[in-house]
Every structure is written in C-alpha cells, then in structure tokens.
Amino acid sequence: MKFHRGVKQILSKYILESIQRKMMGTLLLVMMVPMLIFMLISTYISRGTVESSEISSNLSRMELSKSYLEEQFHSYNDLLFAELVDERLVPSITTENNISSTGAFNTQTYIKDKLFGLYNGDDDIISVTLISYEDDRLYQVENNDFFINHYFQTQIKNTEKTAIFDVNTSNHSFTFARNIFRFEDQKLVGKIEIQVSFSLIDHIATNLQSNGEEEILLLDKEGNTVYTLNSMKLRKNISEEILSSSMKANDTNYITKDNDYYFYQNLMGGQIQLVKLVPEEVMRVGAIYIGRTGIIILLISILLTILLSILVSNQVAKPIVSLSRKMDQVGENNFNVQIETRRTDEIGHLQRKYKEMITRIKDLIEKDYKREMENRDAQFLALQSQINPHFLFNTLQVISGMALKNKAKDIYEMTQKLAFMFRYITDKRGDLVRMKEEVNHLNNYLYIQKVRFGENLSIQLFVDGAVKEGLIPLLTLQPIIENSFKHGFESKLEKAELKIDIQMVFDEIEIAIIDNGVGMSEQILAEVREKLIFDTDTQHRSIGLRNVNNRIKLYFGKEYGIEIDSEQSDFTKVIVRIPYRNGSELSEHFINRR
C-alpha cells in the first residue's frame, strides 16, 4: 500500500499536474510500443543465415579472382618464354668483339625493336630489361626511351630455368624474369625481365568490390601493402595475422578483427596475398530490410501520434498553435501583438513570459539602435582623421622637391628614400615580391639609418646576382634588420657593424644578418627560439621575427624559416632560409608586376 501511494503521488506531482508531461507520456507510449516490436523483430531476423551466406559469396568471388589473377600473372611469364625461343636473341647478347660496326648497329636495333615490342604489348608494363653477362651490358626500355648501360655484376647469378617472380614494394609493381641459356652449351649468357604495375588488377578489384565501403588490397610476403584500390593500408598487426592464418592447414580463408571481415587468397605460391576487407555493416546487409520494416512501423507510429494530437488539440494544442502564430508575427517585426495571459497552467506561464520577453526585446532594440547611430558617428569622425598613404607619399615628394630647390641635398635624399619606402609598403602587390625589389626597399631603409648613425655605423651588404629574380615574402628583411637597430645598437657605445649576406646555396636562398650589438643572454635567446618554434608569448625581440617566420612557413613549408644565434655583449646572427622560386614563372596572383 505504501508503495502504491508513493507511485500515485509521484504520478500526480510530476505527470498528471503537468499538461506537457501528460502529452509527452501519451506520445511516448504510442511510440514505444511499435519500437519494442521493431526491436524484437530485428533481433529475431538478425539471427540466421545472413552472415553465413555473405561469407560464402565472398569466398567464392575471392577464389574466382585468384584464378583470374594468377592467369594474368602467368601470361607475362608466357611472354618471356616466347622470347627465349627466338633464334636471334642469344646471338644478339653474346660478345660483339668480332662484329663489325654495321653488325653491332643492326644487333642493337634488333634488341631495341624486340624490347619495344614487349613494352608496347601491354599498358601495364613499366619497363623491359635485357642483360648480357658476356659483354656486361644492360638494355632497357622505360618511359618510352631505350637505354644501354654498363652492367655491374654485384651478386651471384640465379641459374634457375624457371620463371623468377618478385614483388617491388617501393613502386607497387612486380617483376617476371627468365635466364637466357645458349643453345649449344647451355651456358648462362643473360637475363630478360619485365616490370609490371599492379594497376593491371584495377578492373578485377573493381568487380570484386561489391560495395563502396569495401577495400581491396594486395600484400607481399612481409605484410606490406603493394596495391590498394582506395589508397588504404592495413595496420601491421592485421597484416601479420592474415599472413599467419594463410599458413595454417584447412584454412577458412577469412578472419574477423574488430567486427570487420578480412577475406584472403594466396597468389604466386604465397608471395602475395589478395585481401578483401568487408566492414561489419556491409556484411549484415539484412539490416537494410529490418530498417525498412522499422520505417513502416515508425510511419504507423507517426500516424497514430497525429491522430492522438488531433484528439487532444482542443484541450491542449489550440492555445499553443495560437501562441505560435503570435510568434510568427513577432518574427516579422510586429511587436504590437496581443497575447492572452488568463490561463494558470504551463501554457499560461509561457504566454506571460513570452509577453515579458517581447517587452524587453523592444527596449533592447531601441537601446541598440541608439548605440549603433552613435558608433556610426564615431566611425565617421575616425575616418575623417585618417591620413591617406598616397597623400603622404605625394607630400614627401613635394618636400623633397623643395629641398632640392633650396640645395638641401641631404634632406632631398632622406625624403626621397622615405617616400620610396612608403610607396613600397602601401602599393597594392601580391604576397610575394622579387628579391631585387626587397633589396631596393632595404637599401632605402639602410640609407636612413646610415644618416641617423653617421660614422658610428658600418654596413656591408652583399647580394648574389643569382638570387635577384627569386621570390621572397613582402617586408621580410626590414623587420629583422630593424631588430638590430632597436635592440642591438641603441645602447651600444662603440661603432655598430651590420653585415648582410644574401646568396644562393644549392637550390635555396640563404640570408645571413649579423650585427655586433649587445646580443642576448642564453635565457633570452632560449625564449626567442621557443617563440619561433611554439608561438608562445615573450617580451623580447621576437614579434617581428615571429611574423616573418610564420609567413615564410606559410608560403614555402615548415622546413624553411628563421634560425637565430647570439652571445651577450658580442653578436646576434639571424639566418633566413627560403627555396629559390623564379618570379618570372609565377602568375600575377603571387608577384608584383609593374
């Protein structure tokens, strides 16, 4: 009795007194009944022959694919065997010491035609090679080119008379080779070999793949992936497990791992394995039919829910629909809607709160509108106070003209250099500029600093002529060198020395900037280096360096950028490495064309 009363109290307090919970309970009841039926049916149907039939089907298809693939592989062996019975092949690769120049040319022409015949006989053949052991020559056709090279015998010759099959993991191909023996004395005189891409099985793999989520692969005898249809590689532990299973007697030719199925077949005496990965969801295709049944049940449930909603709409849903329409009107910026608030249940509470919310929204809109108008006025005043960079450039030009007119050559030179710097910075250009433009800008900057420091500053600038057309991010050099003046020379009493060396090193541009400034302590140097690597905050000379370093890595890759070394009271050295990219070869999107 106590339990019964406790349940009744809970139902009365949390369900019966709330119209929202009453509707929720009723609708959930209608939905849960068919869902329970669906779960029972799906559980029953899932048990059965779906999995076994799929396994049997995949095993049969794998066996057929194995037979066809081995037939394809052996067809290349037949091609080589056909060449061994060519009566002119053996004489053509024996020593040519006693053959005339014309005869040697005809022999090479015959070998060339023979190899090209094999090479062009199949689109999947990568190369054809003929080796002569007597005259140590290697004849090869590859990429539609014919090569003759000296052959260095670095290993003991294989004297087998059968075909030699090998897998090349590095370029996803395999080779068939046959030794060539002289008819008269059966002496080993050479070898002929063809290299074939595993792409020859593309159409077989496509036919074997019955679903887009399945994967087709070939593994070598070490478990490495040598071919994949969808650029997928097996994990090492799975590859090893497949190889281990393939060596067992009475093998089932499939394993399961992480609920996925791996079907396999040994090819070419176990030197390669054909593997098909079938995900669990693909294997249990019967779930599709279960899903259709579930959809039907869900549709019935939805229909029952609609009918139930119609029955209770007069008591519950009607005020909600009315409130929804009021919300639509508010959504169209009509804040003068009339909302009834006479109800005392949850819907009445919702109506009252929504009316209060509309009132607050109206107040907020009025306040935001006033604030926006004030912001616009402030922005207009700020725009009025901005200085146009081109106006500043033109003004500097006028000042330099006045200085020249009054024979103040130093002032003229200074304003000219400053004007050119402003033009370089403010001109619209691409992200990358030619090195010679960056160096011209740097010369203008160094001129101003030279005038500033006078005889207390020595500058050495060397630019390798080979780098002038190379590309560099805009404003790379000035921020780095500006650090030397800002941090290195400001408190230095003796003569300041700055050395800038820009030269080509192999296929890269290396920029070395060395100053004899105050340098950095080991702690500060470590902080700056950490900033360049991990982009962490620091108070020392790295804001400009970090910006330049990040831009270099963005444009050219993470292997390029800035290196820095320093000793306190001695020197600071900054090395910038970027790849050489010729500016004349890039589009207008990347460089400035003026």
Side-chain angles (χ1 to χ4, degrees):
M1 294 295 292
K2 291 182 178 180
F3 176 78
H4 179 72
R5 286 196 300 269
V7 172
K8 188 175 181 180
Q9 289 177 356
I10 293 174
L11 290 174
S12 176
K13 181 177 181 180
Y14 294 102
I15 295 179
L16 299 179
E17 292 182 0
S18 171
I19 190 171
Q20 181 180 9
R21 295 190 180 96
K22 284 191 290 187
M23 286 189 63
M24 184 181 298
T26 304
L27 295 176
L28 284 176
L29 181 62
V30 174
M31 292 294 293
M32 287 300 294
V33 171
M35 287 300 295
L36 288 174
I37 297 174
F38 171 77
M39 291 175 61
L40 292 174
I41 294 175
S42 63
T43 303
Y44 176 79
I45 294 177
S46 296
R47 301 173 185 173
T49 60
V50 174
E51 182 177 351
S52 60
S53 62
E54 286 294 327
I55 291 174
S56 177
S57 173
N58 278 287
L59 288 175
S60 298
R61 296 179 66 184
M62 289 290 287
E63 290 178 0
L64 290 174
S65 299
K66 170 189 175 180
S67 300
Y68 185 78
L69 280 175
E70 288 197 327
E71 183 180 345
Q72 288 285 97
F73 290 148
H74 287 299
S75 67
Y76 293 105
N77 179 37
D78 296 338
L79 283 176
L80 294 181
F81 185 78
E83 300 304 323
L84 295 182
V85 298
D86 187 344
E87 296 180 354
R88 293 186 59 186
L89 182 62
V90 174
S92 67
I93 63 173
T94 56
T95 181
E96 299 181 359
N97 292 335
N98 298 324
I99 300 177
S100 64
S101 300
T102 303
F105 175 77
N106 291 335
T107 297
Q108 290 185 6
T109 302
Y110 172 77
I111 292 175
K112 177 180 178 181
D113 294 339
K114 175 65 65 176
L115 297 186
F116 265 110
L118 286 172
Y119 179 78
N120 295 320
D122 194 311
D123 292 337
D124 297 306
I125 294 179
I126 299 174
S127 65
V128 182
T129 304
L130 179 64
I131 300 173
S132 173
Y133 292 141
E134 292 201 351
D135 57 6
D136 294 328
R137 287 191 179 183
L138 184 145
Y139 306 88
Q140 187 177 59
V141 172
E142 186 176 11
N143 296 326
N144 268 328
D145 286 329
F146 178 67
F147 305 96
I148 302 176
N149 297 311
H150 185 73
Y151 177 70
F152 298 97
Q153 300 183 26
T154 59
Q155 58 184 1
I156 299 175
K157 303 184 187 73
N158 189 320
T159 59
E160 294 183 10
K161 291 190 176 181
T162 58
I164 304 169
F165 178 84
D166 194 17
V167 175
N168 191 332
T169 306
S170 61
N171 63 353
H172 306 293
S173 64
F174 65 90
T175 59
F176 264 109
R178 274 189 172 273
N179 290 320
I180 303 175
F181 298 88
R182 191 155 47 204
F183 298 137
E184 294 82 0
D185 54 5
Q186 289 299 298
K187 179 183 177 182
L188 179 63
V189 295
K191 183 172 72 171
I192 186 169
E193 177 183 282
I194 58 174
Q195 185 179 16
V196 187
S197 170
F198 276 116
S199 61
L200 72 96
I201 74 167
D202 280 346
H203 66 287
I204 302 173
T206 302
N207 292 331
L208 185 59
Q209 184 187 43
S210 57
N211 188 287
E213 297 181 3
E214 297 177 349
E215 302 288 347
I216 310 298
L217 307 97
L218 283 181
L219 306 180
D220 64 9
K221 57 187 177 182
E222 282 78 28
N224 299 313
T225 301
V226 297
Y227 170 85
T228 172
L229 184 61
N230 296 323
S231 301
M232 179 256 189
K233 291 187 178 181
L234 291 181
R235 297 192 300 273
K236 192 65 177 177
N237 60 334
I238 296 179
S239 299
E240 292 174 353
E241 189 167 342
I242 292 174
L243 294 177
S244 175
S245 299
S246 66
M247 302 301 293
K248 296 178 181 178
N250 300 321
D251 186 34
T252 58
N253 285 343
Y254 79 92
I255 63 172
T256 57
K257 191 76 173 178
D258 298 329
N259 295 325
D260 293 331
Y261 289 72
Y262 297 85
F263 299 88
Y264 55 86
Q265 288 287 340
N266 288 332
L267 303 177
M268 302 305 294
Q271 294 192 65
I272 52 177
Q273 281 79 33
L274 174 64
V275 179
K276 179 180 181 180
L277 165 61
V278 183
E280 178 188 18
E281 60 270 17
V282 177
M283 282 295 297
R284 299 179 181 178
V285 68
I288 296 176
Y289 301 102
I290 299 174
R292 292 176 180 175
T293 305
I295 291 174
I296 294 174
I297 295 173
L298 288 175
L299 290 175
I300 295 174
S301 300
I302 292 172
L303 179 60
L304 292 175
T305 304
I306 293 173
L307 292 175
L308 184 61
S309 299
I310 293 174
L311 293 175
V312 299
S313 61
N314 290 331
Q315 297 296 324
V316 179
K318 188 175 180 180
I320 296 177
V321 172
S322 176
L323 182 60
S324 175
R325 291 173 180 172
K326 301 294 184 182
M327 290 180 177
D328 291 337
Q329 295 179 26
V330 173
E332 297 174 357
N333 297 325
N334 180 12
F335 294 95
N336 297 318
V337 295
Q338 299 297 323
I339 299 177
E340 297 180 357
T341 58
R342 291 176 295 179
R343 297 179 65 108
T344 58
D345 56 12
E346 289 87 352
I347 294 178
H349 180 73
L350 178 64
Q351 291 171 336
R352 287 190 296 274
K353 291 298 181 182
Y354 188 70
K355 186 175 182 180
E356 293 173 4
M357 183 184 67
I358 292 174
T359 303
R360 288 197 298 269
I361 290 175
K362 290 174 65 177
D363 293 337
L364 289 174
I365 289 175
E366 292 178 1
K367 292 178 181 179
D368 288 342
Y369 177 78
K370 292 179 180 179
R371 187 183 301 112
E372 182 179 358
M373 294 303 297
E374 292 173 355
N375 287 339
R376 288 186 178 181
D377 292 339
Q379 291 174 3
F380 178 76
L381 294 175
L383 287 173
Q384 284 183 326
S385 65
Q386 289 183 352
I387 299 176
N388 190 312
H390 295 286
F391 171 76
L392 182 59
F393 171 77
N394 293 333
T395 303
L396 290 172
Q397 290 289 76
V398 171
I399 295 173
S400 63
M402 295 171 63
L404 185 63
K405 182 178 179 180
N406 290 278
K407 298 181 180 181
K409 188 176 181 180
D410 291 341
I411 299 176
Y412 169 78
E413 290 291 337
M414 179 72 79
T415 53
Q416 281 289 92
K417 299 298 183 182
L418 186 58
F420 291 148
M421 286 183 63
F422 272 107
R423 169 174 283 180
Y424 183 78
I425 295 172
T426 59
D427 272 358
K428 292 183 178 179
R429 59 183 67 226
D431 298 330
L432 303 176
V433 296
R434 292 183 177 89
M435 180 64 75
K436 61 183 180 182
E437 298 178 69
E438 184 75 1
V439 171
N440 287 339
H441 173 71
L442 178 62
N443 280 324
N444 292 331
Y445 174 77
L446 292 176
Y447 177 87
I448 295 173
Q449 293 292 4
K450 182 67 176 176
V451 172
R452 174 189 171 194
F453 283 86
E455 297 298 326
N456 291 326
L457 175 64
S458 173
I459 299 176
Q460 299 180 33
L461 173 61
F462 171 77
V463 182
D464 189 349
V467 306
K468 290 185 177 181
E469 292 298 323
L471 293 176
I472 185 171
L474 180 70
L475 293 177
T476 293
L477 300 181
Q478 179 189 333
I480 299 175
I481 296 173
E482 192 171 346
N483 275 333
S484 295
F485 291 99
K486 182 178 179 181
H487 301 284
F489 298 150
E490 286 292 349
S491 59
K492 187 175 180 65
L493 299 178
E494 60 268 24
K495 185 174 182 179
E497 295 181 359
L498 178 65
K499 182 178 180 182
I500 306 164
D501 191 7
I502 307 174
Q503 58 182 330
M504 180 78 74
V505 179
F506 299 108
D507 58 347
E508 298 179 351
I509 299 176
E510 183 176 285
I511 305 168
I513 301 170
I514 306 172
D515 67 61
N516 67 336
V518 297
M520 289 180 279
S521 65
E522 293 184 1
Q523 179 183 355
I524 295 176
L525 179 61
E527 291 180 9
V528 173
R529 287 174 174 170
E530 182 181 2
K531 181 67 177 179
L532 294 178
I533 297 174
F534 301 107
D535 199 23
T536 56
D537 291 332
T538 181
Q539 300 298 321
H540 305 289
R541 60 159 81 184
S542 64
I543 296 178
L545 293 178
R546 179 186 61 187
N547 181 278
V548 172
N549 190 55
N550 290 343
R551 289 166 60 213
I552 290 174
K553 293 183 182 299
L554 175 65
Y555 295 134
F556 301 118
K558 294 183 177 179
E559 64 270 27
Y560 300 101
I562 292 177
E563 299 174 4
I564 186 168
D565 191 20
S566 181
E567 287 189 11
Q568 194 167 12
S569 303
D570 193 358
F571 75 94
T572 297
K573 180 178 182 181
V574 178
I575 301 294
V576 181
R577 288 193 313 107
I578 59 175
Y580 179 79
R581 297 287 185 269
N582 194 320
S584 62
E585 298 176 359
L586 297 184
S587 65
E588 295 182 359
H589 177 73
F590 296 104
I591 61 173
N592 176 38
R593 295 182 180 273
R594 295 183 294 176

